[in-house]
Amino acid sequence: GYTRDTSFLAMVVDIVQELKQQNSDLVYVCDPVMGDKWNGEGSMYVPKDLLPVYRDKVVPVADIITPNQFEAELLTGRKIHTEKEALEVMDMLHAMGPETVVITSSDLQAPLGNDYLIALGSHRKTTADGTKMTQRIRVESPKVDAVFVGTGDLFAAMLLAWTHKHPNNLKVACEKTVSAMQHVLQRTIKSAKAQAGEGNKPNSAQLELRMVQSKKDIENPEIIVKATVL
């Protein structure tokens, strides 16, 4: 999640390592919040000295990471222009430690068109005989024309829950995660527009995520977004 302090990040690493010593089945999800792209240009909105701490200390102890495209590029030092390059970047991120990598949003061209946003996921596990298996998926979800706060937190929490329920099926876990997100966002935007009134743009308070109202969709989302196995 979001922090601006390197010592806080270092403390998180210490805590995760200590907890994993006590419980080897513990799953740590890291959303390496560092920056994003606006109009194709990426910029960091945290101090630059957080990058090496994320890259060298935090990501190696994480089981699941959920960077956006810009953050994945920062962590690996590689730019992504194509889906093939995105898969290579995810392999580099796997090599740092995490078994599951989901690039939550990208500026790649979606096969379904410009109104869709591409997310990519990769799950790597070692089978009993020592061979490595990798499952990769692409999810295209409809863009929602609004700025929300907390979507990254919700995504990470949902992904943790659904990968726990479907540990060997990243496709289903991501479909349920992204479908639940869509239900929450659509309910939020509909409610915000009603509050703002005809012709008015909703403000940030009106766009607060309708989490409580979406309890059923979070617990058991109707699948409205399908993932493609790559």
Side-chain angles (χ1 to χ4, degrees), residues 1-9 44-47 49-50 54:
Y2 181 80
T3 180
R4 301 183 62 82
D5 188 89
T6 53
S7 62
F8 179 87
L9 269 187
M44 290 181 72
Y45 43 60
V46 299
D49 57 357
L50 265 70
Y54 270 118

Side-chain angles (χ1 to χ4, degrees), residues 140-160:
E140 297 173 76
S141 53
K143 289 179 181 175
V144 181
D145 185 24
V147 177
F148 304 95
V149 174
T151 49
D153 301 315
L154 178 59
F155 187 96
M158 297 294 302
L159 188 66
L160 172 61

Side-chain angles (χ1 to χ4, degrees), residues 26 31 35 39 61 81 117 143 158 170 180 195 208 210 212-213 227:
L26 185 89
D31 185 3
N39 302 320
V61 299
H81 306 100
L117 193 66
K143 289 179 181 175
M158 297 294 302
L170 185 64
Q195 282 184 51
E208 190 168 321
R210 299 298 190 272
V212 175
Q213 297 85 341

Side-chain angles (χ1 to χ4, degrees), residues 6-93:
T6 53
S7 62
F8 179 87
L9 269 187
M11 181 69 74
V12 168
V13 175
D14 289 344
I15 291 168
V16 170
Q17 288 175 323
E18 191 176 317
L19 291 172
K20 284 195 169 191
Q21 281 175 352
Q22 295 173 32
N23 176 9
S24 58
D25 292 331
L26 185 89
V27 175
Y28 169 44
V29 181
C30 167
D31 185 3
V33 177
M34 290 183 284
D36 209 342
K37 289 189 178 187
W38 289 272
N39 302 320
E41 282 300 308
S43 64
M44 290 181 72
Y45 43 60
V46 299
K48 288 187 167 46
D49 57 357
L50 265 70
L51 172 56
V53 184
Y54 270 118
R55 184 186 59 220
D56 304 333
K57 296 188 172 155
V58 182
V59 170
V61 299
D63 301 281
I64 300 171
I65 57 169
T66 58
N68 59 35
Q69 178 179 330
F70 179 62
E71 290 156 349
E73 291 173 341
L74 284 176
L75 289 167
T76 58
R78 282 275 310 272
K79 288 278 191 230
I80 296 171
H81 306 100
T82 63
E83 188 168 275
K84 180 174 178 289
E85 289 175 342
L87 299 181
E88 289 166 359
V89 162
M90 288 198 289
D91 281 342
M92 292 170 76
L93 292 168

Side-chain angles (χ1 to χ4, degrees), residues 155-212:
F155 187 96
M158 297 294 302
L159 188 66
L160 172 61
W162 290 117
T163 51
H164 178 71
K165 293 259 191 187
H166 306 281
N168 296 312
N169 196 334
L170 185 64
K171 179 180 186 288
V172 169
C174 284
E175 285 175 345
K176 289 190 175 182
T177 298
V178 177
S179 292
M181 295 283 302
Q182 281 293 318
H183 288 303
V184 173
L185 295 182
Q186 296 298 347
R187 181 173 286 108
T188 299
I189 196 94
K190 187 177 175 187
S191 171
K193 281 180 175 173
Q195 282 184 51
E198 192 73 40
N200 298 321
K201 197 169 181 182
N203 61 35
S204 55
Q206 291 162 337
L207 285 166
E208 190 168 321
L209 296 179
R210 299 298 190 272
M211 301 282 288
V212 175

